[in-house]
Amino acid sequence: MPQMPQQSDDPSPWILGATEELNRNGSWTGRIHIHKLLFITQLLQLAKPPFKFVVHDYGPYSFDLDEQIITLELIGHLDHSYPKPGYGPRYEPTPQGRTIAARLPDEPAKAIRRVAKELGKRNSQDLELLATSLWVEREEKKTEEEEIISRVRKLKPKYTKEQVQQGLKDARALAASLVSS
C-alpha cells in the first residue's frame, strides 16, 4: 500500500476540491458523488480526507461531510442548482470556493483528480453499489465472493444478485486501477 502523506484536517478544501474535480469530469456532482469520491479516496489510502464514514441508506456516508456541505453553502463557498426535474441538487464551488479548493496540498489534490476521473460519468446508483461493495470487502473484511454479494444484497435489497456481482467486479477493477497508478 502507498504511504499516505500527512494532510490538513480542514474539510473545506477537500469538499470544494472534490466538487470541482467531479464537475470537471462530467459528473452530476450531487451529495452521493461527493461522499463516494472522498470515501473511495480514503478507503484506498490514496489520501486521507478528514471524514469518518459509516454505512447508511446510500452506501458509505459521513455525517460530518454532509454537515460541512451545508455549511459551505451557507457561507457562500458552494452553490447548488436543480438542472433536471426529479433529481437532487448539483453542486459547484463559487469563485471563493475555488480559491479555498486550491489550498488542498498537491498530493491529495492529485488523488482526488484521479478518483474523479474514474467516477465522473457514473450515476449515483453505480457509485452506491461500487462504494458499498468496497465497504463490505475492505471494511467488513469479507473475503468470499458469495459472502460479499450476500452482505451487499442485505444492505441494498433493491439490487439483483447479477447487479451486485457486476458491481463487485467493477469495484475491484476500479480499486486495482487506482491503487496501481
Side-chain angles (χ1 to χ4, degrees):
M1 285 275 160
Q3 190 77 351
M4 284 193 290
Q6 294 297 316
Q7 289 133 24
S8 166
D9 286 337
D10 180 6
S12 299
W14 289 96
I15 297 165
L16 295 163
T19 304
E20 191 169 36
E21 288 301 326
L22 283 165
N23 279 312
R24 187 175 289 136
N25 284 282
S27 173
W28 178 265
T29 315
R31 284 186 179 182
I32 288 174
H33 302 81
I34 298 165
H35 278 261
K36 301 319 175 235
L37 182 147
L38 291 169
F39 167 72
I40 289 169
T41 300
Q42 183 181 86
L43 181 74
L44 298 179
Q45 298 184 5
L46 303 173
K48 193 173 181 179
F51 305 104
K52 180 177 178 1
F53 289 90
V54 297
V55 174
H56 203 264
D57 294 342
Y58 297 104
Y61 173 87
S62 169
F63 289 94
D64 295 337
L65 171 54
D66 218 46
E67 185 178 300
Q68 289 297 320
I69 290 171
I70 293 165
T71 300
L72 289 168
E73 283 187 273
L74 290 172
I75 61 176
H77 295 161
L78 194 62
D79 274 339
H80 72 270
S81 61
Y82 292 90
K84 199 170 184 181
Y87 287 80
R90 181 177 193 273
Y91 292 92
E92 184 174 4
T94 64
Q96 302 94 335
R98 283 191 286 284
T99 300
I100 294 167
R103 294 182 194 159
L104 193 62
D106 286 344
E107 288 305 310
K110 285 179 191 173
I112 284 175
R113 268 193 297 281
R114 286 177 44 223
V115 177
K117 186 176 179 182
E118 293 290 331
L119 300 183
K121 302 276 189 201
R122 296 179 189 259
N123 66 38
S124 59
Q125 291 82 16
D126 288 344
L127 295 176
E128 178 183 343
L129 191 51
L130 281 172
T132 303
S133 295
L134 288 170
W135 174 277
V136 168
E137 184 173 51
R138 292 173 182 238
E139 290 293 319
E140 296 185 9
K141 304 200 182 323
K142 304 287 186 202
T143 56
E144 300 297 322
E145 186 162 323
E146 284 304 316
E147 183 182 30
I148 296 166
I149 291 167
S150 175
R151 176 67 175 140
V152 172
R153 290 204 66 221
K154 185 174 182 181
L155 291 168
K156 305 290 171 194
K158 67 183 177 181
Y159 294 107
T160 65
K161 181 177 181 178
E162 293 74 24
Q163 288 172 313
V164 174
Q165 285 172 316
Q166 186 62 49
L168 178 58
K169 180 180 174 185
D170 293 347
R172 287 173 167 168
L174 172 70
S177 168
L178 288 169
V179 169
S180 69
S181 57

